Amino acid sequence: MLLCNGGDTDLNVTWLEREPTSTGSSWTRKIEKPLKEEKQMVARKNLVSASSGTADHWNQINWDQCQKSTRRLQARIVQATKEGRWNKVKSLQRLLTRSFSAKALAVRRVTTNKGKCTPGIDGQVWQTLTSKSQGIADLRQGGYKPQPLRRIHIPKADGSKRPLGIPTMKDRAMQALYLMGLEPVAETTGDHHSYGFRSYRSAADANSQIFKTLAGRDRSQWVLEADIRKCFDEIDHNWLMNSIPIEKGILRKWLKCGFMEKQMRYPTKAGTPQGGLCKALHKDPYAK
């Protein structure tokens, strides 16, 4: 279920290097010392003072502080990944996905991107400030159960139709939340010259690398293009469970939630639907 292109992100990360010249360089190298526990508690209280689920609560959120807090945790995930401390990575991801700052950013992301007005099977879209604030409060791991996807079909260039699975707003926000913990790992371990489904990379970056590779004498003269047939439709769930560095219980729920089409519910035994924020979790560089 399930990705994200850099174009709909709201993190606005400030780069210290303009080109990905080394592993993890797309993420900030400046790793600040973690705040003491009592200072963290004070900071969380200062983010917002109004009651959750209200318009005032959303308006009072300190977005700069949310971004700083989330980037600090992401930078620590990068460092732990470089050191191969996977238990530490798991601990930091758990901390991030339960933080108010990351939850607020996740809700803001899904309520400002291109799909913000597209509902799931519940017909809900978070367009009011109150619903956005309540969305933050509803992002809880305990008792979380994703709803089936809403299946739609869009036309392809060859005249056929491509199925898309549309998650509910809550499920999209939950995916965006966990993606913030996964992206630092992906950007650290991923191939330097992989550009598909990479945050803060674009087709222009790929074109630049192609020029560097093919320009000049005695360079490669061929470009090989390949397409994996039914990549999304038939990928094995067991491989995903063993390869993606994410909470297994959450990932299993996403993979097995099924989809609704013509008022009928269908199970998902293999593959991932093309739709939502995490559709590319199983592609390089997200698999470890």
Side-chain angles (χ1 to χ4, degrees), residues 1 3 12 30 39 59 63 113 133 173 176 178 204 208 236 273:
M1 180 178 174
L3 178 82
N12 296 323
K30 184 178 180 181
K39 290 185 178 180
N59 286 329
W63 294 108
N113 62 14
S133 176
Y178 276 84
S208 176
D236 183 65

Side-chain angles (χ1 to χ4, degrees), residues 4 18 22 42 44 70 82 113 122 181 183 185 195-197 203 219 225 227 229 235 245 248 256-257 266 268:
C4 74
R18 297 186 63 183
S22 61
V42 172
R44 283 194 293 268
T70 302
K82 290 179 179 179
N113 62 14
D122 58 359
E183 282 184 325
V185 179
Y195 300 94
F197 299 103
R219 297 296 182 93
E225 180 183 6
D227 186 17
R229 184 179 181 182
I235 191 165
K248 304 306 180 185
K256 301 298 184 182
C257 68
Y266 299 89
T268 48

Side-chain angles (χ1 to χ4, degrees), residues 17-244:
E17 299 180 62
R18 297 186 63 183
E19 296 183 350
T21 56
S22 61
T23 301
S25 63
S26 293
W27 293 88
T28 176
R29 301 293 184 88
K30 184 178 180 181
I31 302 175
E32 302 177 17
K33 293 183 179 180
L35 297 175
K36 293 183 179 180
E37 183 177 355
E38 58 271 18
K39 290 185 178 180
Q40 290 178 328
M41 294 177 64
V42 172
R44 283 194 293 268
K45 291 180 180 179
N46 289 338
L47 284 173
V48 59
S49 59
S51 300
S52 61
T54 65
D56 288 340
H57 178 267
W58 182 264
N59 286 329
Q60 290 181 11
I61 294 176
N62 187 333
W63 294 108
D64 288 339
Q65 182 61 38
C66 287
Q67 289 178 338
K68 290 178 182 178
S69 176
T70 302
R71 286 199 298 264
R72 185 181 300 116
L73 283 172
Q74 288 177 320
R76 294 176 64 190
I77 293 174
V78 169
Q79 186 65 22
T81 302
K82 290 179 179 179
E83 297 172 354
R85 302 169 61 192
W86 293 108
N87 286 336
K88 184 66 174 179
V89 169
K90 182 178 179 181
S91 176
L92 290 170
Q93 286 177 327
R94 183 180 178 85
L95 181 62
L96 185 148
T97 54
R98 284 154 179 79
S99 69
F100 173 84
S101 296
K103 290 179 180 180
L105 291 173
V107 172
R108 187 174 73 164
R109 174 174 182 169
V110 301
T111 55
T112 56
N113 62 14
K114 293 181 180 180
K116 62 183 179 181
C117 297
T118 304
I121 63 168
D122 58 359
Q124 296 183 5
V125 291
W126 295 344
Q127 295 183 324
T128 66
L129 301 182
T130 299
S131 61
K132 294 175 184 178
S133 176
Q134 187 60 47
I136 298 175
D138 290 342
L139 292 184
R140 297 187 297 268
Q141 283 76 10
Y144 170 66
K145 184 178 180 180
Q147 297 189 59
L149 307 177
R150 181 168 70 91
R151 172 65 64 87
I152 62 174
H153 297 268
I154 62 173
K156 298 175 63 176
D158 59 3
S160 61
K161 291 187 176 182
R162 173 182 298 164
L164 293 181
I166 309 300
T168 63
M169 291 297 294
K170 179 179 178 179
D171 293 334
R172 270 178 269 178
M174 187 68 81
Q175 292 172 17
L177 177 63
Y178 276 84
L179 198 60
M180 281 187 276
L182 183 58
E183 282 184 325
V185 179
E187 292 300 318
T188 304
T189 60
D191 189 288
H192 295 175
H193 301 304
S194 172
Y195 300 94
F197 299 103
R198 298 292 292 271
S199 298
Y200 320 112
R201 295 193 181 192
S202 65
D205 297 315
N207 288 337
S208 176
Q209 181 59 35
I210 290 173
F211 177 81
K212 293 177 182 178
T213 303
L214 300 180
R217 297 181 178 179
D218 300 326
R219 297 296 182 93
S220 301
Q221 299 299 312
W222 295 90
V223 175
L224 179 62
E225 180 183 6
D227 186 17
I228 302 176
R229 184 179 181 182
K230 295 185 177 180
C231 175
F232 288 100
D233 297 335
E234 298 182 357
I235 191 165
D236 183 65
H237 284 182
N238 291 329
W239 183 87
L240 292 173
M241 293 294 299
N242 294 328
S243 303
I244 307 299

